[in-house]
Amino acid sequence: QVRFVESGGDLVQPGGSLRLACAAPGNTFRFYTMGWYRQAPGKERELVGTITGGAITLLNYVESVKGRFTISRDNAKNTVYLQMNSLKPDDTGVYYCNRADRNNWYPWGQGTQVTVSS
């Protein structure tokens, strides 16, 4: 099955930074509003932020990451990025990307593990 492929997760100290990447299949990616999601241990998967497709780029973030996380995309490379700065232990989890429209989710990929710990 076609899936998104996430990468870039690592162990990082509090206050550190990471840049995650999400490789998208197919050539219609540029039209999708994409979302980054995360799942902390013992918790449900939550939407962290979204970036629109098409000609106009709009960004939205969950309150807990505003000012620290930035989503961007490179349609020529079929890739969406999540730049994470000032990381906190609460940011620990498995990060996934998928379409923002839950009615059109692709099958979930493996995700990429982010661990924030000293």
Side-chain angles (χ1 to χ4, degrees), residues 30-31 52-57:
R30 67 187 63 216
F31 302 111
T52 54
I56 298 175
T57 299

Side-chain angles (χ1 to χ4, degrees), residues 6 20 37-41 45-46 91-96 109-114:
E6 303 89 352
L20 307 184
Y37 302 78
R38 68 184 178 189
Q39 187 165 20
R45 186 178 289 139
E46 67 167 339
D91 296 318
T92 294
V94 181
Y95 283 70
Y96 304 86
Q110 299 270 29
T112 187
Q113 175 71 46
V114 173

